[in-house]
């Protein structure tokens, strides 16, 4: 190899010391620099004059092979001799990796980090520093040089801050750091994913901190103790007002609390803070309502063919209201708008068909209890058979719009006023016979889950 043949005196006849290890990366750099100087026919003094900033002694030490020169010195040496600066830079990087008494080589053998395990910003900072160490712990000046050669911006101060735990401010900054650590483009994707995951976690943590402060302020408002806490009795009262029963003792405002829904008897865990903020809902109640609605729609098709035409017509004229499942009892209230419909539905012959449809949609054991809901003004008999349907529309029990004529609106107002007076006086409603139980009350106090239509 030609660089092993160059040994001898410099331009003034002074012999140079032999390179300690000419086949090592540092030795190859020294041999290249010596060959370049001899090819240019320059002494170290003349070479120093060309660089205008580097002393002859520094240049001679750079070509000695005993110590690694600074990158700027090696590049100035190459330019002054007319050498290939890029090739000298490559030799310098190789020499840096294998120099420093073996410390860089030992760091290169260190295990590389796992960016897929990064969860937050501290994890990301530690992983980036471990990456730098596994890549030979390049100096921050070298990292700046590598990034600049790749068209990226990475200052030495930025590389220092990232290596000491600071988070890259953008994906461009992260990519520049990865380029400086000689991470291939294919390997950078997992680092971008780790950066995005850590940023999202930081945003969630900030939002959670703000949310906790808001919760503390809300608790201080509803608290009934001197310490700004909600007592057991107040918590249970708030819970019942929201439609739940406590299944365990209350602990604190943000602690999960095992409760039971008063509507469907489902057991789940909520927080009192969600109850206060009206964010606590039963996960099973919407399902129960939907299942009852589906079963009612199936009943109206009379799949078994056992229901008479009059009963099916009466079922279509009725409206199923929100069901309630308490313990093992499923209460299905049905609003009946007229006496003819009530007469057909009181027989209870359609209950087995309804129960069969419900069991096909509700996958749990229950005891069916059908409640016929009706309320008739016995003081004034209706003049036509559509009066109670009109009253049901006015009360919001069916989906079709009520009459908008002045007479109809006046009649609706009288009905609502009469219903309020009846509720205050505790007037009992007509009781239905048969296996079904009948409840009393104003139609305006019910909200339908579906309307079967006429």
């Amino acid at each position: 190899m030609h660089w092993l043949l160059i040994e001898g005196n410099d331009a003034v006849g002074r012999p140079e010391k032999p390179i300690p290890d000419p086949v090592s990366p540092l030795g190859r750099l020294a041999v290249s620099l010596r060959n370049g100087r001899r090819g240019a026919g320059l002494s170290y003094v003349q070479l120093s004059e060309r660089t205008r900033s580097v002393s002859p002694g520094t240049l001679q030490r750079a070509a000695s092979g005993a110590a690694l020169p600074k990158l700027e010195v090696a590049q100035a040496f190459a330019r002054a001799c007319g050498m290939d600066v890029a090739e000298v830079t490559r030799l310098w990087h190789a020499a840096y990796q294998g120099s420093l008494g073996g410390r860089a080589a030992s760091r290169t053998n260190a295990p590389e980090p796992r960016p897929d395990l990064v969860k937050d910003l501290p994890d990301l900072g530690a992983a980036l520093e471990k990456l730098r160490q596994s890549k030979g712990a390049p100096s921050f000046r070298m990292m700046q040089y590598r990034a600049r050669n790749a068209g990226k911006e990475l200052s030495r101060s930025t590389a220092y801050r990232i290596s000491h735990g600071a988070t890259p401010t953008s994906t461009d900054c992260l990519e520049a750091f990865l380029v400086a650590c000689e991470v291939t483009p294919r390997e950078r994707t997992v680092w971008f994913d780790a950066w995005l995951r850590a940023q999202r976690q930081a945003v969630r943590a900030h939002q959670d901190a703000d949310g906790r402060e808001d919760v503390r302020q809300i608790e201080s408002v509803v608290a009934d103790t001197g310490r700004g806490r909600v007592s057991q009795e107040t918590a249970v009262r708030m819970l019942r007002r929201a439609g739940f029963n406590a299944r365990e003792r209350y602990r604190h405002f943000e602690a999960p609390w095992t409760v039971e829904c008063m509507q469907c008897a489902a057991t789940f865990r909520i927080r009192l803070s969600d109850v206060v903020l009206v964010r606590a809902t039963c996960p099973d109640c919407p399902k129960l309502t939907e299942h009852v609605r589906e079963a009612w729609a199936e009943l109206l098709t009379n799949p078994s063919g056992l229901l008479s035409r009059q009963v099916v017509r009466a079922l279509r004229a009725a409206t199923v209201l929100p069901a309630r499942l308490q313990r093992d009892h499923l209460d299905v209230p049905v609003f009946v708008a007229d006496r003819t419909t009530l007469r057909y539905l009181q027989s209870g012959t359609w209950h087995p068909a309804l129960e069969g449809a419900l069991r096909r949609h509700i996958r749990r054991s229950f005891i069916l209890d059908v409640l016929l809901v009706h309320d008739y003004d016995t003081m004034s008999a209706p003049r036509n058979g559509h009066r109670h349907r009109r009253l049901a529309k006015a009360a919001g029990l069916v989906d079709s719009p009520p009459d908008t004529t002045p007479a109809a609106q006046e009649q609706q107002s009288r009905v609502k006023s009469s219903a309020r007076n009846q509720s205050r006086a505790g007037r009992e409603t007509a009781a239905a016979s048969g296996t079904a139980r009948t409840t009393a009350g104003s139609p305006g106090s019910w909200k339908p889950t579906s309307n079967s239509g006429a």
Side-chain angles (χ1 to χ4, degrees), residues 88-112:
V88 171
T89 301
R90 186 189 66 79
L91 292 173
W92 186 91
H93 286 161
Y96 183 86
Q97 296 292 336
S99 65
L100 303 177
R103 285 178 292 173
S106 63
R107 288 169 180 167
T108 304
N109 296 329
E112 293 191 3

Side-chain angles (χ1 to χ4, degrees), residues 34-189:
R34 287 190 182 188
N35 287 342
R37 184 182 69 84
R38 291 182 185 281
L42 300 174
S43 67
Y44 285 109
V45 175
Q46 294 170 332
L47 195 61
S48 176
E49 291 175 354
R50 287 197 175 190
T51 61
R52 298 182 180 181
S53 60
V54 185
S55 65
T58 301
L59 294 171
Q60 188 172 10
R61 285 191 297 273
S64 66
L68 180 70
K70 292 184 178 180
L71 178 60
E72 308 91 84
V73 173
Q75 292 173 338
F77 195 116
R79 281 192 293 267
C81 295
M83 302 171 61
D84 186 350
V85 178
E87 176 63 18
V88 171
T89 301
R90 186 189 66 79
L91 292 173
W92 186 91
H93 286 161
Y96 183 86
Q97 296 292 336
S99 65
L100 303 177
R103 285 178 292 173
S106 63
R107 288 169 180 167
T108 304
N109 296 329
E112 293 191 3
R114 292 280 305 277
D116 57 306
L117 300 180
V118 170
K119 297 180 180 179
D120 49 26
L121 295 181
D123 285 352
L124 180 62
L128 289 174
E129 173 58 17
K130 188 179 293 185
L131 172 67
R132 174 176 170 270
Q133 294 294 332
S134 67
K135 296 296 183 180
S139 67
F140 302 124
R141 184 184 297 274
M142 182 195 293
M143 295 179 69
Q144 181 185 26
Y145 171 80
R146 290 176 178 175
R148 186 172 300 170
N149 279 353
K152 305 295 181 181
E153 288 296 329
L154 181 70
S155 64
R156 286 176 290 174
S157 60
T158 301
Y160 173 84
R161 288 195 299 270
I162 294 176
S163 297
H164 286 75
T167 305
T169 55
S170 64
T171 54
D172 291 338
C173 181
L174 173 64
E175 186 175 15
F177 188 92
L178 297 176
V179 169
C181 292
E182 297 183 329
V183 178
T184 63
R186 180 179 298 179
E187 298 172 336
R188 295 172 198 169
T189 304

Side-chain angles (χ1 to χ4, degrees), residues 434-448:
T435 58
R437 290 191 292 118
T438 305
T439 59
S442 170
S445 63
W446 293 91
K447 293 182 180 180

